[in-house]
Amino acid sequence: MIRTVIRGTGRHLPPRLVTNQDLAQWMDTSDEWIQQRTGIQQRYWIDPDHPEGASDLGVKAARIALERAGWQATDIDLIIFATLSPDVFFPGSGCLLQHKLGLETTPALDIRQQCTGFLYGMATADAFIRSGMYRRILFVGAEVHSTGLDISTEGRDVTVIFGDGAAAVCFEALETDEPVGVLGQRLHAQGEFAESLMTEAPASRLWPRLTPEMLDQRRHYPRMDGKLIFKLALKRLPETAMAVLKETGIDKHDIDLYIPHQANMRINQFFEKQMELAEGKVYHNIQTYGNTTAATIPLAIDEALEKGIIGPGSTICCFGLGAGVTWGVSIYRFVK
Ligand code: ACO
């Protein structure tokens, strides 16, 4: 049977460390508010003197993942790039990354699933691999939020949560009868709530797509109904995790590490409590990086592997909910 396994991971953070105290100089907020409401202490943003796009951060993470997998770039059959902050409106950042890797005609696919970019990306990679169409797929999740945030009191609810960053995963086909690799997953979307978290402009549905008035109205900045998204996450994540555990026949206590999307530490603490998990079973790194959206889950996997919290034979459960709204859960077991 063909299984989808991880061969290598990598991450890259831009150089500019932005603390909560830094943000408090630019808007009416405080370290105490941000830590209490979100758990975030700091995040990394790109250096405005040396601007970089999502594919620039992504290619650095990709090179690390490729080296750890023992792959050359030319070994890649397909690139899947997840981002809500593409380098340009079009074409997709996957094409830009493909060229930066020195590739000529390797296919590249962008997905726009925001915080669940990794979960949708892993499911897509798994489907391509199990169908036999591709054997080696590079997933990259990368975001440059900082160039599109409202750095004023008006935008403070959204601006304080986002960080820039990238992470990459090399997925490969493995012929085996062992229960390893992607064991189960569920993906969901509920477009009913699409406008609860969005950046509205520029947009094809607007005529023209962007005007000075729209800029004055701050319609090019992300806006969010944080309370609604928060409540949806509290309901959907435990409910979907229980469903995937049931489908795979895995006991919730046999998961070595739960790796959530890092949107708000309180959401993930609620999940831990709701699922009645032992302390330390849910991974948090939002303190250090903030919400790097499509990069959070692969970044956390990479970090947990590096710290030795997980390794050969470990079973992880990844989950997240974000703009769309979209959400998903995936259970993965590393090869021994
Ligand atoms: N600093 C200080 N005060 C603030 C800030 C800030 N950064 N932001 C908001 N406030 C104020 C508000 O104005 C409000 O003041 P008021 O009571 O005088 O009106 C008060 O703090 C409470 O504001 P709320 O928005 O109700 O705060 P809440 O506890 O809901 O926390 C937060 C806001 C952190 C955004 C939370 O709602 C949240 O995390 N929501 C979920 C986010 C999420 O998961 N998003 C999905 C992923 S992102 C993606 O998909 C792209």
Side-chain angles (χ1 to χ4, degrees), residues 13 26 60 114 122 127 141 148 153 192 241 246 281 314 316 328:
L13 280 309
W26 308 322
K60 291 175 187 165
Q114 297 68 246
M122 175 143 101
T153 298
E192 178 189 347
K246 195 170 167 204
K281 281 275 183 171
S314 295
I316 59 173

Side-chain angles (χ1 to χ4, degrees), residues 28-30 33-34 37-38 84 114-115 156-157 160-162 197 224 226-227 229-230 261 263-264 266-267 291 293 321-323:
D28 182 11
T29 190
S30 66
W33 192 97
I34 300 170
R37 300 286 176 129
T38 69
L84 70 67
Q114 297 68 246
C115 298
R156 64 184 178 176
D157 58 328
V160 301
I161 68 177
F162 284 125
L197 174 47
M224 171 169 74
K227 279 207 186 318
I229 303 289
F230 196 97
H261 167 54
N264 187 314
R266 287 189 296 142
I267 293 174
N291 177 351
T293 309
L321 178 140

Side-chain angles (χ1 to χ4, degrees), residues 8-306:
T9 60
R11 66 180 187 276
H12 174 77
L13 280 309
R16 183 180 173 210
L17 177 66
V18 177
T19 64
N20 294 345
Q21 287 84 356
D22 291 331
L23 293 175
Q25 292 171 32
W26 308 322
M27 61 186 78
D28 182 11
T29 190
S30 66
D31 178 44
E32 192 191 1
W33 192 97
I34 300 170
Q35 286 212 45
Q36 263 180 17
R37 300 286 176 129
T38 69
I40 300 168
Q41 296 169 7
Q42 60 169 58
R43 74 286 292 138
Y44 294 89
W45 285 359
I46 59 142
D47 176 356
D49 293 332
H50 300 97
E52 293 180 286
S55 70
D56 295 310
L57 302 188
V59 76
K60 291 175 187 165
R63 288 202 178 101
I64 298 168
L66 288 172
E67 195 186 325
R68 290 185 180 156
W71 296 2
Q72 302 297 315
T74 47
D75 292 329
I76 300 166
D77 297 324
L78 171 72
I79 293 165
I80 301 177
F81 199 112
T83 186
L84 70 67
S85 51
D87 300 59
V88 290
F89 197 87
F90 77 87
S93 293
C95 294
L96 306 189
L97 178 116
Q98 184 248 36
H99 182 60
K100 284 171 187 162
L101 284 174
L103 296 170
E104 285 181 6
T105 58
T106 307
L109 170 71
D110 267 44
I111 55 172
R112 299 286 307 273
Q113 303 316 121
Q114 297 68 246
C115 298
T116 45
F118 177 73
L119 299 163
Y120 272 75
M122 175 143 101
T124 307
D126 183 47
F128 272 126
I129 286 175
R130 281 189 298 109
S131 76
M133 186 159 171
Y134 296 122
R135 288 192 61 79
R136 288 177 163 178
I137 298 180
L138 171 70
F139 169 88
V140 175
E143 304 288 357
V144 175
H145 286 299
S146 58
T147 49
L149 295 173
D150 182 354
I151 306 190
S152 77
T153 298
E154 217 166 314
R156 64 184 178 176
D157 58 328
V158 176
T159 297
V160 301
I161 68 177
F162 284 125
D164 300 340
V169 177
C170 295
F171 290 108
E172 191 169 73
L174 177 72
E175 278 285 350
T176 178
D177 293 328
E178 294 295 312
V180 293
V182 179
L183 300 182
Q185 55 204 351
R186 267 190 181 217
L187 303 173
H188 293 281
Q190 199 168 3
E192 178 189 347
F193 299 116
E195 308 233 341
S196 309
L197 174 47
M198 72 186 298
T199 297
E200 191 194 1
S204 60
R205 68 180 184 178
L206 300 174
W207 182 269
R209 289 181 177 180
L210 192 64
T211 61
E213 291 72 41
M214 287 183 218
L215 293 176
D216 288 345
Q217 293 159 357
R218 313 175 103 77
R219 288 164 71 186
H220 60 302
Y221 289 132
R223 61 162 198 267
M224 171 169 74
D225 180 346
K227 279 207 186 318
L228 175 76
I229 303 289
F230 196 97
K231 278 188 206 148
L232 288 170
L234 300 192
K235 173 176 159 43
R236 294 303 192 185
L237 295 173
E239 144 192 307
T240 312
M242 287 309 289
V244 180
L245 285 163
K246 195 170 167 204
E247 278 159 19
T248 51
I250 296 174
D251 188 281
K252 64 183 177 184
H253 299 297
D254 291 337
I255 298 290
D256 295 297
L257 194 64
Y258 287 82
I259 302 191
H261 167 54
Q262 309 284 318
N264 187 314
M265 196 188 270
R266 287 189 296 142
I267 293 174
N268 298 338
Q269 286 167 338
F270 179 89
F271 178 93
E272 187 176 291
K273 207 164 146 214
Q274 184 80 354
M275 298 280 289
E276 298 174 336
L277 302 174
E279 221 187 305
K281 281 275 183 171
V282 178
Y283 193 72
H284 304 284
N285 63 8
I286 195 170
Q287 311 90 304
T288 313
Y289 306 114
N291 177 351
T292 58
T293 309
T296 60
I297 297 176
L299 197 157
I301 294 173
D302 183 58
E303 199 175 63
L305 283 167
E306 206 171 83

